[in-house]
């Protein structure tokens, strides 16, 4: 008899629970609606857990719904007059307006070796990790004679950056280490993020390992458009990097305090050579004021019967940015 009584109670409990659940569903607490796009979405699911009569061991994992930000608008623009027949691309990204001004889209989306523009990244990571410290950035020269005479001396961070001293940053990158470097490049979404050729053995133009690495005609690649995006991640309003590091980096990157548009321009050149011919020439950075800041990249590729170098890329950038702010 006791067994029958227990069975009847158990069945009654199940029946009552079913009624409670049905009531919750009728009130819309667990209603699944079909959205206009065909996707299912759960509405007010949290209310179901306030019903104390229903034992709940674990809430289902529900991902929040985030509003998708629209893709920035790309405005193709004829800037060929600035390039004067050179094979090149230009990208200007205005985060405030959410618009890209792009010349030569095909080349602007093509990944190339960043060369010495990568010193922006290695400097940032070293500043953030205390590898480069204020007042303690001087590194001892090994005594090896390099082709650039300004490298043949003990040298500090700002001078090393502005003279593009490769041996200085080779040491900085080695002290940063592969693990931290990979972590930071992933966070910055820096091109293909490929540092597999750490020592730069793929760079057949230079077999001096103190003057090469994964960023010089080697495994790491990035497009001009991606360069501007990385600049915005470093210096933009949503940057996760300290104001102190940004300030020191900008101080080293300052090209001109005021151009004809009356705005400062910050940037870094980069040059890649193969068999004695320049195949990659860069100038990338940021310009403008805090209220109206743009991120830019000028890239020049090999051009038949024409000289190509990063100094020309820099000149083109300054002209374009100056006109951008005066028109």
């Amino acid at each position: 008899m006791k067994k029958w009584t227990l069975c009847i109670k158990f069945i009654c409990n199940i029946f009552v629970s079913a009624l409670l659940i049905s009531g919750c569903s009728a009130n819309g607490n667990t209603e699944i609606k079909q959205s206009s796009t065909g996707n299912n979405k759960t509405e007010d699911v949290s209310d179901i857990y306030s019903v104390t009569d229903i034992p709940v061991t674990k809430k289902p994992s529900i991902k929040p719904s985030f509003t998708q930000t629209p893709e920035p608008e790309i405005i193709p623009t004829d800037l060929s007059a600035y390039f004067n027949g050179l094979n090149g691309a230009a990208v200007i990204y205005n985060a405030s307006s959410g618009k890209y001004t792009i010349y030569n889209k095909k080349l602007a989306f093509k990944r190339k070796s960043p060369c010495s523009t990568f010193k922006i990244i290695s400097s940032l990571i070293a500043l953030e990790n205390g590898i480069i410290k204020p007042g303690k950035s001087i590194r001892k020269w090994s005594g090896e004679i390099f082709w650039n005479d300004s490298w043949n001396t003990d040298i500090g961070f700002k001078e090393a950056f502005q003279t593009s001293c490769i041996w200085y940053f080779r040491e900085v990158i080695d002290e940063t280490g592969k693990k931290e470097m990979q972590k930071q490049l992933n966070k910055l979404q820096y091109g293909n993020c490929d540092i597999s050729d750490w020592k730069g053995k793929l760079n057949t133009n230079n077999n001096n390992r103190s003057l090469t690495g994964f960023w010089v005609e080697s495994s790491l690649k990035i497009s001009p458009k991606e360069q501007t995006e990385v600049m915005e991640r470093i210096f933009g309003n949503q940057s996760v990097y300290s104001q102190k590091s940004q300030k020191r980096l900008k101080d080293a990157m300052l090209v001109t305090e005021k151009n004809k548009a009356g705005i400062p321009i910050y940037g870094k050149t980069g040059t890649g050579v193969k068999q004695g011919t320049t195949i990659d020439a860069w100038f990338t950075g940021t310009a403008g004021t805090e209220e109206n800041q743009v991120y830019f990249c000028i890239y020049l590729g090999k051009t038949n019967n024409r000289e190509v170098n990063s100094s020309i890329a820099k000149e083109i950038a300054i002209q374009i940015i100056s006109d951008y702010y005066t028109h």
Side-chain angles (χ1 to χ4, degrees):
M1 183 66 75
K2 288 182 179 180
K3 290 182 179 179
W4 280 106
T5 302
L6 290 172
C7 286
I8 291 169
K9 286 183 178 180
F10 179 74
I11 293 169
C12 287
N13 286 337
I14 293 174
F15 182 74
V16 171
S17 297
L19 287 174
L20 286 169
I21 294 172
S22 177
C24 291
S25 179
N27 289 330
N29 291 333
T30 58
E31 181 179 327
I32 307 296
K33 292 186 177 180
Q34 190 74 15
S35 71
S36 59
T37 58
N39 296 323
N40 292 331
K41 67 175 183 178
T42 305
E43 295 186 351
D44 299 324
V45 291
S46 60
D47 290 348
I48 192 172
Y49 302 114
S50 64
V51 182
T52 56
D53 301 288
I54 303 174
V56 178
T57 56
K58 185 179 181 181
K59 297 181 183 181
S61 174
I62 300 170
K63 294 182 179 180
S65 177
F66 295 105
T67 302
Q68 292 288 332
T69 56
E71 281 291 317
E73 181 183 355
I74 294 178
I75 304 173
T77 307
D78 183 8
L79 300 175
S80 57
Y82 293 96
F83 288 82
N84 192 27
L86 293 175
N87 175 34
V91 182
I92 302 173
Y93 175 49
N94 189 319
S96 299
S97 65
K99 294 180 180 180
Y100 285 98
T101 298
I102 293 182
Y103 166 68
N104 195 345
K105 184 178 178 181
K106 183 178 180 180
L107 194 56
F109 280 68
K110 190 172 183 178
R111 285 175 171 171
K112 296 286 189 174
S113 171
C115 305
S116 284
T117 63
F118 189 72
K119 289 182 175 67
I120 297 173
I121 310 306
S122 53
S123 298
L124 172 72
I125 297 170
L127 287 165
E128 287 283 282
N129 284 279
I131 294 170
I132 296 175
K133 300 178 182 178
K136 295 182 179 179
S137 67
I138 295 177
R139 290 178 175 267
K140 298 287 289 183
W141 173 46
S142 67
E144 181 179 357
I145 303 296
F146 299 107
W147 62 267
N148 188 328
D149 191 56
S150 63
W151 301 351
N152 299 325
T153 184
D154 297 350
I155 193 168
F157 165 60
K158 186 174 180 178
E159 187 181 359
F161 188 95
Q162 294 179 342
T163 61
S164 212
C165 182
I166 301 175
W167 70 258
Y168 182 98
F169 286 94
R170 174 76 261 185
E171 289 184 5
V172 165
I173 286 170
D174 284 337
E175 287 181 29
T176 299
K178 294 180 181 179
K179 185 176 180 180
E180 180 64 15
M181 183 61 69
Q182 189 68 70
K183 174 185 172 183
Q184 294 300 329
L185 292 192
N186 291 344
K187 183 165 72 173
L188 282 165
Q189 299 174 54
Y190 192 89
N192 66 358
C193 298
D194 186 354
I195 62 172
S196 58
D197 186 31
W198 184 262
K199 294 184 178 180
K201 292 181 180 180
L202 294 176
N203 179 10
T204 56
N205 186 63
N206 193 333
N207 59 9
N208 184 338
R209 295 308 161 205
S210 64
L211 297 180
T212 191
F214 57 84
W215 67 96
V216 186
E217 299 304 332
S218 186
S219 59
L220 187 65
K221 308 287 184 185
I222 191 169
S223 72
K225 179 175 178 286
E226 289 171 323
Q227 288 265 33
T228 66
E229 293 166 350
V230 169
M231 292 303 102
E232 198 257 344
R233 290 179 192 122
I234 295 172
F235 299 112
N237 293 331
Q238 303 301 316
S239 175
V240 299
Y241 301 99
S242 70
Q243 288 293 321
K244 188 175 180 181
S245 293
Q246 290 184 52
K247 186 177 183 302
R248 288 203 71 199
L249 185 51
K250 272 190 168 183
D251 183 52
M253 290 173 64
L254 183 62
V255 174
T256 172
E257 295 212 16
K258 289 186 179 180
N259 60 349
K260 68 180 184 181
I263 51 104
I265 297 177
Y266 308 87
K268 182 71 186 77
T269 54
T271 303
V273 178
K274 186 175 183 180
Q275 296 177 347
T277 301
T278 298
I279 58 172
D280 297 310
W282 300 88
F283 187 68
T284 188
T286 182
T289 62
E290 190 173 335
E291 297 75 25
N292 189 17
Q293 192 170 25
V294 299
Y295 311 93
F296 65 85
C297 182
I298 301 300
Y299 172 82
L300 299 176
K302 183 180 177 181
T303 306
N304 291 335
N305 303 317
R306 294 289 300 277
E307 180 186 2
V308 172
N309 59 54
S310 58
S311 294
I312 297 173
K314 179 179 174 181
E315 290 173 7
I316 292 172
I318 292 173
Q319 291 171 3
I320 290 176
I321 293 299
S322 296
D323 291 343
Y324 181 89
Y325 275 93
T326 54
H327 286 80

